[in-house]
Amino acid sequence: MNIGLTGGIACGKSTVSAMLVRRGAILIDADQIAREVVEPGSPVLAQVAARFGQDMLLPDGSLHRKKLGETVFGNEEARKALEDLLHPSIRALMKERMAASEHEFPDKLVVVDVPLLYESGLQSMFSSVMVVYVPREVQLRRLMERDGLTSEQGESRLAAQWPVERKKELADICIDNSGTLEQTERLVERFWLQRGL
């Protein structure tokens, strides 16, 4: 029993995942795994430094995320090279944790939070995909407020992902998070009860 949880930036994935966890779901966070695979001393971090330069490491041996982000942002070839280094390890660890959770807690829902699930073509890993949705104008406003961005900066962040409307069309389950927290909570509860959880 697993679902892939995704959505667009600033759509409220964390809010919905917290609601599912409160109801007893087990959460596996792809962003957390992505941080783990590049911990100091890891083979993946060594590969990143070899490919992009030793200046991608901070003095303590950890990844200089900001510098790496600046290097790959807007550079399709560099971004693809980075993904080729990171994604196999991230996917392997995700699958390992999903299998362990499903084995240890067969009666619980395993929720895997994957921000770029569709962009990375990972739909087949999950029995169903839940998309947390807000209309694009709401998404842009929340992103600008949350990260203190200008409209242009917000637009460029949104352009780096698939449109949330497209993700909504592909979703098996859609949670509309554009209303109040109470409204979102009701949608999550309806999903939970429909699943017989």
Side-chain angles (χ1 to χ4, degrees):
M1 251 197 335
N2 67 61
I3 60 168
L5 175 69
T6 194
I9 188 170
C11 283
K13 257 187 322 72
S14 304
T15 301
V16 170
S17 67
M19 291 175 180
L20 292 166
V21 167
R22 277 200 305 276
R23 286 169 169 78
I26 294 166
L27 180 66
I28 297 170
D29 183 343
D31 278 346
Q32 177 59 41
I33 290 173
R35 286 190 287 276
E36 286 175 39
V37 301
V38 291
E39 282 178 349
S42 71
V44 176
L45 182 59
Q47 292 170 342
V48 169
R51 169 65 177 79
F52 293 98
Q54 292 300 315
D55 58 340
M56 293 300 153
L57 301 179
L58 291 165
D60 67 358
S62 64
L63 180 62
H64 194 321
R65 292 180 186 286
K66 189 172 189 303
K67 190 165 204 159
L68 183 61
E70 289 164 359
T71 302
V72 301
F73 192 76
N75 179 336
E76 190 61 29
E77 188 187 329
R79 189 182 59 76
K80 179 83 176 71
L82 180 63
E83 287 173 355
D84 290 346
L85 292 175
L86 299 179
H87 286 183
S89 297
I90 294 170
R91 287 177 189 165
L93 201 46
M94 261 171 41
K95 285 179 180 169
E96 189 182 301
R97 296 215 175 138
M98 281 169 67
S101 298
E102 288 171 356
H103 177 75
E104 196 174 341
F105 306 102
D107 58 332
K108 290 192 181 251
L109 178 68
V110 176
V111 177
V112 187
D113 180 340
V114 188
L116 301 177
L117 187 150
Y118 287 118
E119 291 89 337
S120 304
L122 300 179
Q123 307 86 296
S124 63
M125 279 180 65
F126 308 103
S127 48
S128 54
V129 175
M130 175 185 281
V131 168
V132 180
Y133 168 82
V134 298
R136 193 178 189 286
E137 61 277 7
V138 175
Q139 184 185 16
L140 179 61
R141 188 185 74 238
R142 287 183 182 175
L143 177 61
M144 288 164 58
E145 286 169 5
R146 185 189 79 185
D147 295 354
L149 304 176
T150 65
S151 170
E152 295 74 33
Q153 290 170 321
E155 291 285 359
S156 103
R157 300 277 169 88
L158 292 186
Q161 296 185 346
W162 282 16
V164 72
E165 299 294 338
R166 184 173 174 199
K167 294 180 183 186
K168 179 185 178 187
E169 286 165 19
L170 294 169
D172 301 301
I173 308 134
C174 182
I175 300 291
D176 186 327
N177 188 35
S178 55
T180 64
L181 270 179
E182 290 72 26
Q183 288 168 320
T184 302
E185 192 81 62
R186 280 199 294 275
L187 292 172
V188 170
E189 181 66 10
R190 185 184 307 155
F191 157 77
W192 195 259
L193 296 174
Q194 282 170 347
R195 279 294 171 101
L197 296 161

